[in-house]
Amino acid sequence: MQVDTVKISKFLSYILRHKPESIALKLNQDGWVEIETLLAQANQHGKKLTRAVLEHIVATNDKKRFTISRDGTMIRAAQGHSSQQVNLDYSQQVPPEFLYHGTATRFLDSINQQGLIPGTRHHVHLSDDQKTAAKVGARHGKPVVLIIEAQKMAELGYHFYLSDNQVWLTKDVPIEFIKQ
Ligand code: HQG
């Protein structure tokens, strides 16, 4: 397929996580939108997108960033939202003993003071393997992987969620649960 799938995937992330209003789109509270409406609005705003291309991108996306509803009519981003239109009802899960957060060394001073905070997104993102965390950290600079005492947090009443694409989410991580 002669399309720039990375570029379209980034466009979809932008629309479905952050700025649906930029193409006059309204997501429902669970982040879903009708595929027909998304295609119509994208095309109206000069982004050529067909159902076939969309399905190709969803199926081949390296991180399974997008989910199509079982009946095939709707689409949403699996996680990573900042849009206030959305308040996803993630499934709460008991985490493993440790989870990992990849960040850049330049953020460490601040993290050591404040703990991990979600920033513009709705959650702090964690993964169950160090390799993925290292890749996430490298997006921001010299990567460092922090070890999060997730089970201990859960025992103390902190909530953990697992997205459709297996990213662990929590609201914040106080410094006492972070090990380097
Ligand atoms: C850092 C990607 C200073 C945090 C990935 C991170 C992920 C602090 C940055 C998903 C801080 C936020 C999310 C504090 C946290 N002081 N910095 N107190 N607390 N930070 O991009 O986790 O490819 O919003 O360490 O795979 O990097 O888009 O979050 O470095 O799952 O699908 O603030 O994005 O997925 O950066 O990445 P981000 P993230 P996709």
Side-chain angles (χ1 to χ4, degrees), residues 77-90:
Q79 36 67 227
H81 300 82
S82 66
S83 172
Q84 295 305 318
Q85 293 186 13
V86 176
N87 182 14
L88 233 79
D89 191 16
Y90 292 108

Side-chain angles (χ1 to χ4, degrees), residues 11 15 18-20 26 37 45 56 59 86 98 138 143 166 169 179:
F11 168 72
I15 297 301
H18 307 301
K19 285 265 187 282
K26 178 93 180 71
T37 314
H45 287 78
H56 173 73
V86 176
F98 299 114
Q166 309 300 303
L169 305 166
K179 300 200 291 188

Side-chain angles (χ1 to χ4, degrees), residues 12 15 40 53 81 88 95 101 153 156 165 168 180:
L12 288 173
I15 297 301
V53 168
H81 300 82
L88 233 79
H101 177 83
M153 285 179 70
L156 289 168
N165 63 342
W168 284 91
Q180 228 165 285

Side-chain angles (χ1 to χ4, degrees), residues 17 63 65 101 103 110 114-115 117 121 125 139-140:
R17 291 173 173 176
K63 285 191 187 167
R65 290 181 178 88
H101 177 83
T103 189
S110 171
Q114 298 184 310
I117 54 173
R121 300 193 202 245
H125 289 222
R139 290 158 58 248
H140 300 286

Side-chain angles (χ1 to χ4, degrees), residues 102-147:
T103 189
T105 49
R106 66 193 166 98
F107 296 142
L108 284 178
D109 283 350
S110 171
I111 291 171
N112 285 332
Q113 284 176 17
Q114 298 184 310
L116 289 171
I117 54 173
T120 57
R121 300 193 202 245
H122 296 173
H123 296 93
V124 170
H125 289 222
L126 306 167
S127 56
D128 61 11
D129 73 294
Q130 304 204 33
K131 208 173 145 203
T132 304
K135 271 195 214 157
V136 173
R139 290 158 58 248
H140 300 286
K142 186 163 183 272
V144 53
V145 174
L146 305 176
I147 303 168

